[in-house]
Amino acid sequence: MSVVEETRLDAKIPGGPIEDKWEKHQFEMKLVAPNNKRKFDVIVVGTGLAGAAAAASLAELGYNVTNLCIQDSPRRAHSIAAQGGINAAKNYPNDGDSVMRLFYDTVKGGDYRSREANVYRLAHVSNLIIDQCVAQGVPFAREYGGLLANRTFGGAQVSRTFYARGQTGQQLLLGAYGSLMRQVEHGKVKLFPRREMLDVVVVDGVARGVVARNLMTGEFETYCGHAVLLCTGGYGNAYYLSTNAKGSNVTAAWRAYKRGAYFANPCFTQIHPTCIPVSGDYQSKLTLMSESLRNDGRVWVPKSADDKRPATEIPDEDRDYYLERRYPAFGNMVPRDVASRAAKERCDAGYGVGETGMAVFLDFKDAIARDGEDVIHQKYGNLFHMYKKITDEDPYHVPMRIYPAVHYTMGGLWVDYNLESTLPGLFVLGEANFSDHGANRLGASALMQGLADGYFVAPYTIANHLAGRQLPRVTTHHPAFQESLVDSRNRLERIRNVNGERSVDSIHRELGHIMWNDCGMSRTAQGLNDAIDKITALREEFWQNVKVLGKGEALNQNLEHAGRVADFLEFGELLARDALERQESCGGHFREEHQTAENEAMRDDENFCHVAAWEYQGTDSPATRHTEPLTFETVKLTQRSYK
Amino acid sequence: MSSLKLTLKVWRQPSRDEAGQFHTYHLEDVSTEMSFLEMLDVLNENLIAQDEEPVAFDHDCREGICGMCSLMINGQAHGPDNETTTCQLHMRHFRDGDTIVIEPWRAKAFPVIRDLVVDRSALDRVIAAGGYVSVNCGSAPDANAVLVPKTDADKAMDAAACIGCGACVAACKNASAMLFVGAKVSQMALLPQGKPERASRVLNMVARMDEEGFGNCTNTAECEAACPAGISLSNIARLNREYLKAALTAAN
Ligand SMILES: Cc1cc2nc3c(=O)[nH]c(=O)nc-3n(C[C@H](O)[C@H](O)[C@H](O)COP(=O)(O)OP(=O)(O)OC[C@H]3O[C@@H](n4cnc5c(N)ncnc54)[C@H](O)[C@@H]3O)c2cc1C
Ligand code: FES
């Protein structure tokens, strides 16, 4: 397969010292005058942290906002499930944190594959996020004196993570949702739940609307505006089993890709080290046990592969605390990619525990002995409860069994410094874009990014588009809307008319197996080539043999799922191709051919210090790979070390 | 791990405007390790194989936090396990040979859309009436500028843990939403940030709740028993106090 490298992408990074770029840019950007804002309609797709924050903030500024989401209520977006916390450079604990350090940790954690200017801005606005959330009434954890409490997350040696028990995402989202509903009440946001966006409508080269299916009635609807914001989350469900909510999908991003938005670094997926292991073939999703648990839990396997004693009977001298052994400086708090690979290494070597041998222990014995059960309960009560519900084992008395699982996707639609994609007028926020986390995201940084994009970045940068471009009046009667609508409807009709033998779920599961085995925690050229062949064959099977019952003009969850799986079947191939072309190991992307003598990821900065952004070329031609070179002016490129 | 043979009586209703009825299905080899929704996934795969349309039910996170799943299971909202959503309910709570009756939430304010899926948007409209602090982005003071006693923050968090699933409404014979509203009113009343709008918030939310067709509270505490997030009845007591205080001040 030939890969053409074409134009270099312009990220529109402002000049000047890194500390001043954002303020300088804010000053230089165009503004929309207050009384002109009401003349602009903005479509926001998604109501997670990114979408709800953006929709509420834009409406507060005076724009007319249309807001769509898949769930029956905006409050149920997948962000609600985030557990552990949100980072900010407040330095309240006085332990040496700063904007510069948060920036540095994030660039290093991302294994030098993110854009310095974006990451700096993220660290810079992080403090404003905490202020905003507290003002909304988000009940963050507090110390006895009434001040906010912090904890530590992986990849950091300071305590900068704010949290609301094990339900941080829930509380942050409910804060944003409150602000959103306030604007709904004021009539500034028109809310459309149970809608699935199926296409972006492009008029004269600019994104001017979307096509959505009303999931209650099956009707196709069109929405028109001056800008479109995609805040549609990550694509982890390409792997079938993941910690993502069942409805999480790549459809919105994939449709945008097909209309001209480049897809960046799709192979950068994050496998989270601490999830409840798979227990059977019927399994429908995997449950995360928050990274915060590694603050107090110690990870181990027996020193001897034949040691079959119950965990509690294995004395300390017969346990291998392998993270503490291999990475003494960070110990159990190494970044996720490192911890995940270390667990896989032990299990592959035959030291895994539990019925399947595909698990390691996460043990709270020492923390409970030190702090008492009460303290541990206060910190992690709901996680322990959830663990017990699922496994029927009590982690206060026996160690948890955990194994890595697909969790987050660093890749996403390519955006410039303004969060604008290569399709003018289409902005991408939150997990759906690619910009801030490089090849590996640090814990508690996704919530930070979603809210930064939604509250503090897009509301500014969108003005540049609205005030800087000629945007003629367009209505949904424009032929482009009808064309997109007919396309979307035909596609679902085609799926319904296949009338084959195989259920959507069984095809999705098979795709998941391919992705996990060949594009998972460790990848090889051979495996990736195989994966591409297998995915192509499975995609063909889908279009010849899928079985979807029921009507199109009704609530039809099977049809919804089928549409999403059809997109995953195309997208999975791009992910594999991207992994194949990136002949280096970095962060979550581990190519077995590229590792150090100690099995650590080995980057190739000479050839791959860039973003790969893929351009769609039609169904019958392979996508084109473009690059955006990454330059590191502030953080020196070095091999990551957590030893 | 063992496996169960089950009889399911499932409510099927093609659409909002058509009548519904129970259908009976038999399932074998249900693993006790499965979640309740995974059991329904298996049922649906079987139905598809037999050319019967799968049963529609709401779900998303399958972790007990998004509030999307629902279901009356043998007459109990979210089934028999305490403080557990349907998605976190595991089949080990059932016995071989059991018959399980599965219905949608039943309440005037929650019309059925299809099978087990209901429309709960009334809850969003109640929040829209005032379940927030009116603060625009960008104007907040430093997060540590206002101290919040830990006990208040903890109590606010207890109330804020509501997942908005609507089980309290479904479990209540009056279909009252007092626990849902009480939780939000309490969270905000306990925090200094919520104080300025304290009175208007409770009055507006209660008025909206009535408009949306939720019933009155007659203190049967079924809501608390059904709540998967452990929201306590004391939130209704606080709601009543807040309401009275606000109504009295408004009258003056
Ligand atoms: C279990 C779990 C725990 C986590 N814990 C943490 C944590 O502790 N700290 C942290 O920083 N990060 C955490 N993360 C990651 C973080 O939660 C997510 O990255 C982040 O919340 C994503 O937010 P978002 O707004 O980009 O997207 P989402 O919250 O995923 O929202 C996507 C929105 O888009 C809508 N949507 C999607 N597709 C369509 C479509 N086609 N049409 C219409 N609407 C659509 C959905 O309905 C939804 O409203 C966790 C993730 C998981 C899975
Ligand atoms: S599916 Fe989210 S709470 Fe059950």
Side-chain angles (χ1 to χ4, degrees):
Chain A
M1 184 186 335
S2 73
V3 172
V4 198
E5 304 218 4
E6 282 197 350
T7 42
R8 305 210 145 185
L9 287 158
D10 178 10
K12 306 208 177 101
I13 299 166
I18 193 136
E19 296 87 344
D20 304 336
K21 284 182 196 293
W22 178 232
E23 273 177 28
K24 179 166 167 279
H25 192 57
Q26 278 175 304
F27 179 69
E28 285 168 359
M29 272 185 293
K30 299 210 161 46
L31 292 174
V32 178
N35 50 359
N36 276 340
K37 291 201 173 85
R38 74 174 85 93
K39 296 182 188 151
F40 288 109
D41 303 323
V42 181
I43 298 173
V44 179
V45 187
T47 59
L49 289 178
S57 304
L58 290 168
E60 286 163 10
L61 288 170
Y63 296 109
N64 309 309
V65 178
T66 298
N67 193 193
L68 287 73
C69 69
I70 287 186
Q71 292 82 0
D72 68 333
S73 161
R75 66 180 288 157
R76 307 201 203 286
H78 169 58
S79 294
I80 198 96
Q83 301 170 350
I86 176 166
N87 287 331
K90 284 283 195 186
N91 193 31
Y92 287 153
N94 197 27
D95 57 358
D97 202 6
S98 61
V99 168
M100 190 51 104
R101 188 177 296 282
L102 173 53
F103 157 68
Y104 172 84
D105 286 348
T106 308
V107 170
K108 175 184 172 194
D111 214 356
Y112 308 92
R113 289 295 174 264
S114 51
R115 196 187 280 152
E116 271 194 343
N118 284 56
V119 180
Y120 192 90
R121 176 177 62 194
L122 176 64
H124 177 79
V125 302
S126 68
N127 292 340
L128 298 175
I129 297 173
I130 304 302
D131 300 342
Q132 166 70 5
C133 296
V134 167
Q136 287 171 332
V138 169
F140 282 120
R142 293 191 177 256
E143 306 290 355
Y144 281 99
L147 295 167
L148 291 159
N150 286 114
R151 61 186 172 203
T152 315
F153 255 57
Q157 288 172 316
V158 294
S159 282
R160 62 161 73 100
T161 306
F162 294 80
Y163 62 100
R165 296 203 186 132
Q167 292 120 284
T168 315
Q170 177 195 32
Q171 294 310 316
L172 296 176
L173 184 60
L174 293 182
Y177 160 77
S179 293
L180 175 65
M181 294 316 289
R182 173 171 164 244
Q183 295 303 320
V184 171
E185 187 77 1
H186 293 339
K188 288 304 287 181
V189 175
K190 300 242 171 329
L191 186 65
F192 297 93
R194 291 201 199 266
R195 300 298 198 287
E196 179 162 18
M197 184 204 110
L198 295 176
D199 206 356
V200 181
V201 182
V202 182
V203 178
D204 300 331
V206 179
R208 295 301 300 268
V210 298
V211 173
R213 183 166 174 270
N214 178 329
L215 301 179
M216 292 172 286
T217 61
E219 279 162 300
F220 287 81
E221 303 168 339
T222 47
Y223 300 87
C224 178
H226 297 91
V228 177
L229 273 57
L230 286 196
C231 313
T232 46
Y235 50 80
N237 281 349
Y239 290 78
Y240 190 82
L241 286 182
S242 83
T243 61
N244 289 9
K246 295 294 284 178
S248 299
N249 65 83
V250 78
T251 291
W254 195 245
R255 301 282 119 202
Y257 163 75
K258 291 195 158 182
R259 294 279 175 197
Y262 293 4
F263 211 114
N265 298 335
C267 80
F268 288 170
T269 50
Q270 177 164 82
I271 316 260
H272 196 293
T274 53
C275 303
I276 302 179
V278 177
S279 70
D281 302 332
Y282 50 79
Q283 190 118 7
S284 60
K285 77 156 287 173
L286 294 172
T287 302
L288 176 75
M289 288 287 111
S290 165
E291 175 160 309
S292 57
L293 292 170
R294 285 196 272 143
N295 269 303
D296 287 296
R298 297 176 69 195
V299 178
W300 64 278
V301 291
K303 274 190 181 154
S304 151
D306 309 320
D307 196 338
K308 296 295 169 217
R309 285 175 288 178
T312 47
E313 285 169 26
I314 301 181
D316 252 3
E317 61 270 21
D318 294 338
R319 298 175 172 200
D320 176 13
Y321 292 96
Y322 59 86
L323 288 177
E324 297 167 31
R325 168 169 62 77
R326 282 178 69 179
Y327 308 100
F330 280 69
N332 292 294
M333 298 309 284
V334 291
R336 293 174 175 177
D337 54 329
V338 177
S340 289
R341 270 197 299 280
K344 179 176 177 345
E345 187 278 329
R346 283 293 80 191
C347 293
D348 289 351
Y351 294 87
V353 301
E355 247 176 68
T356 58
M358 292 311 268
V360 299
F361 290 126
L362 179 62
D363 201 331
F364 297 90
K365 168 174 74 78
D366 297 340
I368 291 173
R370 184 186 65 224
D371 300 339
E373 210 172 294
D374 258 12
V375 170
I376 297 299
H377 175 79
Q378 274 220 1
K379 285 195 196 164
Y380 312 115
N382 72 316
L383 297 171
F384 278 42
H385 179 76
M386 200 186 326
Y387 183 85
K388 180 151 193 286
K389 284 267 157 251
I390 294 172
T391 63
D392 212 20
E393 284 175 0
D394 180 3
Y396 291 103
H397 300 113
V398 296
M400 288 183 176
R401 281 173 298 110
I402 51 155
Y403 197 68
V406 173
H407 176 61
Y408 180 85
T409 54
M410 284 75 68
L413 293 177
W414 186 89
V415 288
D416 63 15
Y417 190 71
N418 295 321
L419 304 183
E420 190 170 22
S421 71
T422 50
L423 175 58
L426 181 78
F427 292 76
V428 190
L429 283 62
E431 193 173 338
N433 76 23
F434 89 104
S435 68
D436 295 0
H437 307 294
N440 173 60
R441 174 177 68 79
L442 290 183
S445 288
L447 301 183
M448 171 171 71
Q449 183 223 333
L451 290 180
D453 290 359
Y455 284 135
F456 296 109
V457 181
Y460 286 92
T461 57
I462 198 179
N464 224 22
H465 158 70
L466 297 174
R469 285 200 182 101
Q470 289 291 338
L471 298 169
R473 211 182 96 84
V474 168
T475 69
T476 54
H477 299 297
H478 189 283
F481 280 85
Q482 291 314 306
E483 237 169 76
S484 288
L485 186 148
V486 171
D487 270 6
S488 305
R489 189 190 294 150
N490 287 351
R491 188 164 162 280
L492 283 190
E493 276 309 292
R494 249 181 80 206
I495 294 178
R496 247 171 29 81
N497 290 332
V498 173
N499 277 324
E501 295 290 322
R502 253 189 104 170
S503 74
V504 179
D505 209 51
S506 79
I507 296 178
H508 193 180
R509 272 179 204 275
E510 186 175 335
L511 174 67
H513 277 293
I514 302 171
M515 301 301 296
W516 178 247
N517 291 334
D518 294 327
C519 315
M521 259 186 288
S522 107
R523 302 156 174 186
T524 62
Q526 166 84 49
L528 291 165
N529 276 313
D530 282 357
I532 292 170
D533 292 344
K534 286 188 237 167
I535 295 167
T536 312
L538 189 62
R539 188 168 61 235
E540 272 163 27
E541 175 167 11
F542 176 93
W543 286 103
Q544 275 156 26
N545 198 25
V546 75
K547 179 173 183 180
V548 177
L549 303 168
K551 290 189 288 198
E553 304 77 31
L555 183 123
N556 187 339
Q557 294 172 325
N558 209 216
L559 183 61
E560 294 164 26
H561 189 194
R564 293 170 201 155
V565 172
D567 288 331
F568 280 134
L569 284 166
E570 295 178 7
F571 169 74
E573 183 182 339
L574 187 73
L575 192 161
R577 277 192 66 197
D578 186 49
L580 188 61
E581 292 305 327
R582 190 170 279 281
Q583 294 164 43
E584 63 161 351
S585 294
C586 54
H589 170 64
F590 191 75
R591 284 285 298 266
E592 287 179 22
E593 304 93 326
H594 304 277
Q595 51 183 312
T596 65
E598 291 153 315
N599 305 108
E600 304 295 344
M602 198 158 74
R603 288 198 325 262
D604 176 353
D605 292 331
E606 199 149 320
N607 296 304
F608 289 97
C609 195
H610 59 231
V611 177
W614 296 85
E615 181 187 6
Y616 182 65
Q617 298 290 5
T619 29
D620 302 320
S621 334
T624 315
R625 185 178 190 266
H626 301 275
T627 57
E628 176 202 335
L630 293 169
T631 43
F632 291 88
E633 288 166 2
T634 313
V635 187
K636 223 172 77 220
L637 272 169
T638 45
Q639 198 203 325
R640 262 189 335 169
S641 169
Y642 292 97
K643 296 188 193 281
Chain B
M1 201 191 315
S2 52
S3 74
L4 315 172
K5 206 183 221 175
L6 300 170
T7 302
L8 306 176
K9 292 193 181 331
V10 183
W11 184 259
R12 310 274 339 229
Q13 181 172 336
S15 71
R16 205 181 276 240
D17 308 320
E18 289 163 272
Q21 62 181 72
F22 283 103
H23 283 221
T24 303
Y25 303 106
H26 299 283
L27 263 192
E28 291 182 15
D29 293 328
V30 174
S31 158
T32 49
E33 299 293 300
M34 278 183 195
S35 71
F36 197 84
L37 297 185
E38 285 168 344
M39 183 276 291
L40 288 182
D41 290 342
V42 172
L43 169 70
N44 277 343
E45 286 292 288
N46 291 355
L47 292 179
I48 293 168
Q50 294 157 23
D51 292 327
E52 189 172 340
E53 276 191 63
V55 178
F57 59 90
D58 268 329
H59 65 99
D60 201 24
C61 74
R62 297 203 175 193
E63 286 193 4
I65 191 77
C66 74
M68 186 102 180
C69 65
S70 54
L71 306 188
M72 292 304 270
I73 300 169
N74 289 336
Q76 282 178 293
H78 289 302
D81 201 9
N82 215 7
E83 288 191 23
T84 303
T85 52
T86 293
C87 60
Q88 291 286 73
L89 173 65
H90 278 69
M91 295 312 293
R92 61 180 82 93
H93 295 282
F94 296 89
R95 284 210 207 95
D96 195 34
D98 273 359
T99 295
I100 308 177
V101 181
I102 308 172
E103 292 171 86
W105 283 169
R106 305 254 188 222
K108 186 171 136 212
F110 294 164
V112 172
I113 299 174
R114 185 185 171 99
D115 295 343
L116 304 171
V117 175
V118 301
D119 181 350
R120 286 172 287 195
S121 52
L123 295 179
D124 288 324
R125 292 189 291 274
V126 171
I127 294 292
Y132 41 77
V133 177
S134 299
V135 40
N136 279 2
C137 185
S139 47
D142 183 83
N144 259 345
V146 182
L147 299 183
V148 182
K150 183 173 184 326
T151 43
D152 289 352
D154 285 346
K155 273 195 254 166
M157 180 62 213
D158 289 341
C162 166
I163 62 172
C165 63
C168 47
V169 177
C172 174
K173 64 177 169 37
N174 310 318
S176 164
M178 288 286 274
L179 194 64
F180 172 80
V181 175
K184 189 46 81 183
V185 164
S186 292
Q187 175 197 346
M188 295 305 182
L190 283 159
L191 293 171
Q193 289 81 7
K195 298 257 151 75
E197 297 167 284
R198 197 168 171 174
S200 60
R201 175 179 303 116
V202 66
L203 295 176
N204 291 338
M205 287 181 77
V206 168
R208 184 67 55 84
M209 176 177 82
D210 294 342
E211 278 166 40
E212 292 290 343
F214 293 104
N216 291 326
C217 172
T218 50
N219 276 316
T220 53
E222 286 298 332
C223 52
E224 183 188 55
C227 178
I231 304 298
S232 125
L233 213 52
S234 64
N235 290 294
I236 296 188
R238 190 178 292 101
L239 169 60
N240 286 329
R241 286 199 303 275
E242 291 287 320
Y243 186 80
L244 240 139
K245 232 188 317 181
L248 283 174
T249 331
N252 289 333

